[in-house]
Amino acid sequence: MSTATNGATGELTPPPGVHLPIYLDNQATTRTDPRVLEAMLPYFTEVFGNAASRNHSFGWVAEEAVEKARAQIAKLIGATAKEIIFTSGATESNNLAIKGIAEMYRERGNHIITQVTEHKAVLDTCKRLEKSGYEVTYLPVKADGIIDIEDLKRAITDKTILVTIMIANNEIGVLQPVEEIGKLCHERGILFHTDGVQAVGKIPVDVNAMQIDALSLSGHKIYGPKGVGALYVRRRNPRVQISEQINGGGHERGMRSGTLNVPGIVGLGKACELCMEEMEPETRRLSTLRDKLKNKLESKLDFVHVNGSMEHRLPNNLNMSFVYVEGESLLMGINDVAVSSGSACTSATLEPSYVLKALGLGDDVAHSSIRFGLGRFNTEAEVDYVADKIIDVVQKLRELSPLYEMVKEGIDLSKIEWAAH
Amino acid sequence: MAYSDKVIDHYNNPRNVGQLDKSSETVGTGLVGAPECGDVMRLQIRVNPETQVIEEAKFKTFGCGSAIASSSLATEWVKGKTVEEALQIKNTDIVKELSLPPVKIHCSVLAEDAIRAAIGDWKKKNGVAETEAATQAVAAQ
């Protein structure tokens, strides 16, 4: 037993070496790796030049650092350096790719296909395009969170110019069949953009094997800094063109104006290099820890279930519903552990996660869900502590839950006439 | 988000958790809210038939910390009051006592509903005329 219990409320004390609070929300953001920070630091001070200054050494050194980072990023995804455009992050990359392609290929067609569990940076961009005359198909997902490739085939029309479907989902970590999607798109002469934010650096991504035409990625999800990201734009077979969304000095070959964030870019490059070097053992380590967490919770608690496919999933994500316990109350009980809840009791709409609802989960189950995002700096001792803590708090809250009591007494909750409020 | 100390106290040490025999003539049960909305409260009272004083109150709640605290507080407040006095408890009193933020006001509304539903159930069992306020019955048990 790695943790001890004291007091009437069942407070757990962490074992030696575990420092609270524990960060287990690595799908939201990650801590910058000290090696990344170290690589960045000189570019705030000694090497402060503008990478676009062509006529002195300050600019040349900065440019050299930017080009090194471009190559590091390209290598991680099997691209060439010239295909990488720097942005402020994945939200901008998604906007630039989707709007930029939609505008550039407008004469060819006005139809875009995406799917319902995309990040809001994709969904809201598509909604915006709908207002300017584009038609968007939002594919459903199956109960495991994965699209049906047959649905995609059926959705394609002769007006379809772009398919934008993520590699890995941010809430449930489920992987979409990007290789099949890429193949299908290229057979039909349609461009394929993917939001690779959660997947790049965590699992192997190859833009050629997957036939990806544009890919968004971000620094802060891969132990790099916030405020920097990149968009991969294919230059051969086919050469993809995008219309710029930010006008100005013509940086990034005119596709994204604005002085380059040199320290951020250096950090993003270093972060990519580290992810590539350490991917294999890190994937094994994280999936082992994740499975341990899952098995421990499932062995000690009834009425828990995993949301989304376990087979096609990021190694570091677990999303579980603790039925008959409301998610926010669970978070309150584990306030020394940072995780996310699918419940949105605090939001203005009180609507639970649209991703979980898309899997066909009832609102009640969605309200009971927790996302665990493991990362590079989590230890086995932390995972053990979190599992014990969750078990303790769920049991305590179920003692308080009229629903749990009723189900245990054999009452069918679906037969009760609840008054929605 | 930050919870008030009183909400945290009720969450950590909920008062009067449990169940009363709902088939008893002297017990009124209110079950309000809905699982889809993320809040279900069950509040039960045991009423002295002579004095109409609420002698015992129990609750169980599925919901956020503020919902748990609101219902826990409601059981504390109804105890020792007559049913007519208990009907005077307003959700705004709960909001004030627990310093609930605007997004959590619905938790206090639900607790008030639970009190009314429990009293309504007791009145129905005992043939006591419904006051107008108590007729806003909520979910059926």
Side-chain angles (χ1 to χ4, degrees):
Chain A
M1 196 57 193
S2 56
T3 50
T5 304
N6 64 38
T9 54
E11 288 284 316
L12 292 170
T13 43
V18 170
H19 300 286
L20 301 179
I22 294 168
Y23 188 75
L24 222 57
D25 200 14
N26 286 282
Q27 257 89 50
T29 193
T30 57
R31 177 178 179 158
T32 303
D33 191 297
R35 295 168 292 181
V36 170
L37 178 65
E38 195 189 351
M40 291 170 70
L41 286 175
Y43 294 90
F44 289 102
T45 51
E46 304 98 82
V47 198
F48 63 87
N50 186 328
S53 296
R54 291 284 160 80
N55 38 17
H56 52 66
S57 64
F58 293 84
W60 303 334
V61 188
E63 192 194 11
E64 202 177 299
V66 166
E67 294 316 312
K68 183 183 170 194
R70 218 186 282 282
Q72 286 168 318
I73 297 159
K75 196 173 173 198
L76 179 62
I77 59 171
T80 60
K82 281 185 174 172
E83 295 174 309
I84 303 298
I85 295 166
F86 291 110
T87 66
S88 64
T91 292
E92 188 193 333
S93 297
N94 285 331
N95 271 265
L96 175 57
I98 297 168
K99 290 175 183 166
I101 287 171
E103 280 175 23
M104 186 61 80
Y105 294 85
R106 179 66 184 85
E107 282 179 9
R108 205 182 282 180
N110 70 337
H111 182 226
I112 297 166
I113 301 171
T114 185
Q115 58 90 22
V116 290
T117 68
E118 290 293 314
H119 192 273
K120 290 286 181 190
V122 167
L123 293 176
D124 285 359
T125 303
C126 288
K127 280 187 192 131
R128 170 75 177 268
L129 287 171
E130 282 182 288
K131 286 183 187 155
S132 33
Y134 290 87
E135 284 183 27
V136 181
T137 300
Y138 300 88
L139 300 176
V141 292
K142 295 175 288 182
D144 61 5
I146 300 171
I147 65 155
D148 185 338
I149 200 84
E150 295 303 317
D151 285 342
L152 175 59
K153 281 181 192 164
R154 279 190 291 271
I156 292 172
T157 72
D158 55 4
K159 294 266 191 274
T160 308
I161 49 174
L162 174 68
V163 170
T164 173
I165 290 177
M166 63 191 359
I167 305 177
N169 184 267
N170 47 304
E171 287 189 34
I172 53 176
V174 162
L175 307 177
Q176 297 295 345
V178 280
E179 206 160 335
E180 282 178 81
I181 297 168
K183 183 167 177 279
L184 181 62
C185 288
H186 278 200
E187 282 168 4
R188 306 291 292 266
I190 297 162
L191 295 178
F192 174 36
H193 165 255
T194 189
D195 177 352
V197 167
Q198 297 290 345
V200 167
K202 316 283 169 59
I203 57 169
V205 172
D206 185 304
V207 291
N208 292 316
M210 295 169 169
Q211 303 191 46
I212 294 163
D213 296 309
L215 177 148
S216 306
L217 63 93
S218 177
H220 76 103
K221 307 285 192 190
I222 55 173
Y223 314 98
K226 293 170 181 64
V228 64
L231 178 67
Y232 156 81
V233 182
R234 177 174 287 282
R235 274 167 68 92
R236 292 184 58 208
N237 306 318
R239 181 184 179 86
V240 178
Q241 292 180 285
I242 58 173
S243 71
E244 76 278 15
Q245 302 298 309
I246 294 179
N247 303 101
H251 307 78
E252 300 299 272
R253 287 175 289 115
M255 282 190 268
R256 203 280 192 177
S257 287
T259 296
L260 291 178
N261 167 9
V262 177
I265 287 167
V266 168
L268 174 57
K270 184 68 183 176
C272 287
E273 184 187 271
L274 293 173
C275 281
M276 191 160 177
E277 282 171 9
E278 298 173 2
M279 191 181 293
E280 271 190 47
E282 184 64 357
T283 295
R284 271 199 303 278
R285 189 184 77 90
L286 288 177
S287 59
T288 304
L289 285 184
R290 188 266 317 272
D291 292 346
K292 185 176 187 191
L293 176 63
K294 173 178 172 282
N295 294 338
K296 209 165 168 180
L297 294 172
E298 283 177 338
S299 69
K300 292 282 170 58
L301 295 169
D302 53 0
F303 302 109
V304 294
H305 66 81
V306 174
N307 298 312
S309 168
M310 274 308 289
E311 189 188 348
H312 303 284
R313 194 182 196 100
L314 290 174
N316 65 333
N317 171 281
L318 182 65
N319 189 308
M320 269 185 142
S321 288
F322 301 88
V323 190
Y324 314 125
V325 171
E326 194 274 332
E328 196 189 319
S329 66
L330 179 51
L331 290 190
M332 194 172 163
I334 53 165
N335 57 3
D336 51 7
V337 180
V339 291
S340 280
S341 167
S343 177
C345 198
T346 47
S347 78
T349 60
L350 302 179
E351 279 291 308
S353 152
Y354 68 93
V355 172
L356 297 178
K357 288 185 76 172
L359 308 186
L361 258 65
D363 283 11
D364 51 338
V365 181
H367 276 299
S368 306
S369 73
I370 298 285
R371 174 183 73 180
F372 303 93
L374 283 75
R376 187 176 285 170
F377 305 108
N378 290 123
T379 64
E380 184 167 11
E382 286 181 334
V383 168
D384 283 335
Y385 174 78
V386 169
D388 289 338
K389 184 93 187 181
I390 296 262
I391 291 163
D392 182 57
V393 175
V394 167
Q395 284 171 342
K396 186 179 147 210
L397 289 171
R398 281 183 174 166
E399 286 297 307
L400 271 182
S401 171
L403 304 178
Y404 186 70
E405 180 194 284
M406 289 157 88
V407 167
K408 282 291 195 184
E409 286 174 357
I411 296 168
D412 182 352
L413 296 180
S414 66
K415 295 282 194 301
I416 293 176
E417 281 181 44
W418 301 101
H421 58 281
Chain B
M1 64 167 261
Y3 294 94
S4 70
D5 290 344
K6 282 182 180 164
V7 169
I8 292 169
D9 180 42
H10 278 281
Y11 174 85
N12 285 329
N13 308 291
R15 329 286 200 260
N16 307 309
V17 176
Q19 190 177 20
L20 298 173
D21 175 13
K22 67 170 184 258
S23 62
S24 164
E25 280 295 300
T26 59
V27 170
T29 300
L31 181 70
V32 300
E36 307 84 73
C37 304
D39 293 300
V40 174
M41 289 181 189
R42 187 187 65 204
L43 192 143
Q44 293 181 298
I45 51 170
R46 184 190 302 283
V47 182
N48 183 317
E50 309 281 306
T51 60
Q52 302 212 344
V53 168
I54 297 169
E55 292 182 334
E56 206 178 356
K58 294 280 183 198
F59 88 99
K60 280 199 177 187
T61 289
F62 162 83
C64 65
S66 301
I68 291 169
S70 296
S71 40
S72 171
L73 178 67
T75 60
E76 273 194 320
W77 278 1
V78 298
K79 263 180 29 177
K81 287 190 168 72
T82 66
V83 290
E84 290 309 317
E85 283 166 353
L87 284 171
Q88 303 307 311
I89 296 170
K90 292 279 173 289
N91 84 290
T92 47
D93 304 331
I94 296 171
V95 171
K96 209 170 150 198
E97 174 68 14
L98 297 175
S99 312
L100 297 180
V103 291
K104 297 296 184 184
I105 287 174
H106 72 279
C107 299
S108 69
V109 173
L110 207 58
E112 185 188 317
D113 289 348
I115 296 171
R116 288 169 187 282
I119 292 172
D121 181 54
W122 173 82
K123 284 187 169 177
K124 209 163 123 192
K125 277 184 185 171
N126 291 274
V128 179
E130 285 278 354
T131 55
E132 196 189 328
T135 52
Q136 305 164 352
V138 203
Q141 170 78 303

